[in-house]
């Protein structure tokens, strides 16, 4: 499963070749006692992401977690690994980075460096991965460049396969790739002066990651090799079992090649409807917008497309956006560009309801559901069903268009991104019951307009009618 999604990213050209070497894995000389702030009655001071102001070498980007007790460095970990360091470089830190700002005393450390491995060496593979047969939780990490020459223009996306039928993933702006046990499950690099649990996401607590490095299993919650890895929006089902072929289908826009829909499907699994053998379908966010600047924030979210599971009641497609990439709440990854859309974590769900599925028109929707415009003269009459004259709106006014220009999520205002017009919704009626529409089937509007089915929900009782999410084929 990990190599499968790796291949998909290779086809898309999403692997960023960066040749990272010289990452910081440990440190020494973390003394430098200072008086603690007398107003601090807890006696502890925390610095989650201290960054250097100078170095005796040329390395950049490393940061450190520091906990002081009565002013004394009590616990120090490497947080972000940086790149380009050499063993023995001495880093200095300004007051306020790993010490009290009003003391006038900074901090310094000498670093240990791992030069044995280079990360992100090709456009054909993950930034780092481990799919060794002895590893319980195989993983792969994509270094995804969203926008060049921006401080947070790169998003790391980690994928874990906790079973043969599920995946979990996180996203964030920084990642520590060190794997201390390539042929086993080990992820503990050590105590004071180490990198703590690795590999893992890195950065400042509540800004870049959900957990600080000393918060219980903090590093492991952020680590894709760990059993404690906390994937965004939980675990995602990609298959019914491992007894059938598993495809990862990739639908890419020809208008905006950065817009891609991924969907897992088991084509040899018997089905009577689309959702029987089509599983996790999602859109990793990959766009720029005037709403934010990636010099200040990191694109971290994704949008899932889910069919309703009781078509006899509601024929609906839900577009569910998770506006963060770490943990389970936007307030735990505040640097995520999309996080302010849902500060209270109420959810961002746009539920599109078929206007044709149960009856036409249908009222099986709530006021806050977007409504799809449909007009059919068959139903727009003067209501006369007996003797006399039955009149209707002119059939020339009939309307049931392919719906294009869909917002990524209609609950996000202003919309950060609208889907390109080669992806659409089709509200349809097929005049036969029990038709089994599958992913990859086509809908022909004309000889010059043909659409491929990706996901959908439909009722099969007396006719087959419902709502489909589609990609333009012709």
């Amino acid at each position: 499963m990990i190599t499968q999604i790796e291949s998909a990213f290779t086809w898309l050209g999403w692997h960023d070749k960066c040749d990272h070497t010289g990452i910081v894995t440990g440190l020494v000389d973390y003394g430098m006692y200072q008086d603690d702030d007398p107003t601090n009655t807890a006696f502890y001071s925390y610095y989650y992401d201290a960054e250097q102001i100078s170095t005796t070498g040329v390395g950049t980007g490393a940061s450190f977690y520091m906990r002081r007790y009565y002013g004394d460095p009590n616990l120090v970990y490497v947080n972000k690994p940086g790149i380009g360091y050499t063993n023995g470089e001495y880093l200095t830190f300004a007051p306020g980075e790993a010490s009290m700002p009003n003391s006038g005393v900074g901090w310094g450390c000498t670093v240990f460096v791992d030069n044995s491995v280079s990360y992100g060496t090709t456009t054909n593979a993950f930034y780092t991965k481990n799919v060794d047969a002895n590893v319980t939780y195989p993983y792969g990490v994509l270094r995804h460049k969203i926008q060049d020459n921006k401080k947070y223009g790169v998003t790391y996306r980690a994928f874990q396969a906790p079973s043969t039928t599920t995946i979990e993933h996180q996203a964030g702006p920084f990642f520590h790739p060190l794997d201390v046990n390539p042929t086993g499950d080990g992820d503990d690099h050590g105590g004071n002066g180490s990198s703590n649990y690795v590999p893992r996401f890195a950065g400042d607590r509540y800004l870049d990651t959900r957990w600080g490095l000393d918060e219980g299993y903090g590093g492991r919650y952020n680590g894709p090799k760990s059993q404690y890895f906390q994937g965004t929006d939980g675990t995602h089902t990609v298959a019914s079992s491992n007894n059938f072929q598993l495809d990862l289908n990739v639908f890419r826009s020809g208008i905006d090649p950065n817009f891609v829909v991924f969907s897992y499907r088991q084509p040899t699994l018997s089905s009577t409807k689309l959702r029987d053998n089509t599983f996790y379908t999602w859109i990793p966010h990959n766009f720029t917008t005037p709403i934010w600047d990636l010099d200040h924030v990191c694109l971290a979210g994704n949008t899932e497309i889910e069919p309703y599971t009781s078509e006899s009641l509601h024929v609906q497609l839900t577009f569910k956006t998770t506006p963060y990439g770490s943990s389970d709440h936007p307030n735990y990854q505040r640097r995520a560009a999309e996080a302010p859309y849902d500060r209270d974590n109420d959810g961002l769900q746009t539920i599109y309801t078929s206007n044709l599925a149960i009856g036409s028109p249908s009222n099986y929707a709530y006021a806050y559901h977007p409504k799809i415009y449909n007009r059919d003269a068959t139903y727009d009459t003067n209501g006369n069903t007996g003797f006399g004259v039955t009149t209707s709106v002119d059939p020339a006014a009939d309307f049931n268009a392919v719906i294009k220009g869909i917002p990524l999520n209609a609950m996000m205002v202003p919309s950060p991104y609208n889907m390109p017009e080669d992806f659409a919704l089709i509200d349809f009626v097929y005049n036969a019951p029990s038709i089994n529409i599958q992913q990859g089937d086509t809908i022909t509007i004309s000889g010059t307009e043909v659409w491929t089915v990706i996901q959908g929900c439909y009722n099969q009782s007396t006719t087959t009618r419902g709502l489909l999410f589609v990609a333009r084929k012709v």
Side-chain angles (χ1 to χ4, degrees), residues 61-116:
S63 71
F64 300 84
Y65 169 85
M66 163 80 81
R67 184 180 73 194
R68 287 182 177 270
Y69 182 63
Y70 285 102
D72 187 29
N74 174 258
L75 184 64
V76 187
Y77 291 127
V78 177
N79 187 340
K80 300 196 294 274
I83 57 171
Y85 291 89
T86 54
N87 267 319
E89 283 189 43
Y90 184 75
L91 315 184
T92 58
F93 298 77
E97 278 294 290
S99 53
M100 299 307 299
N102 57 3
S103 70
V105 179
W107 179 66
C109 69
T110 301
V111 296
F112 293 121
V113 173
D114 178 16
N115 278 308
S116 64

Side-chain angles (χ1 to χ4, degrees), residues 355-356 358-362 374-383 391-393 398 429 465:
N355 207 14
L356 304 177
I358 308 299
S360 186
S362 169
N374 173 269
R375 182 180 287 280
D376 186 343
T378 304
Y379 302 94
D380 293 335
T381 72
N382 63 357
T391 57
S392 69
V393 174
D398 287 359
V429 174
R465 47 190 178 181

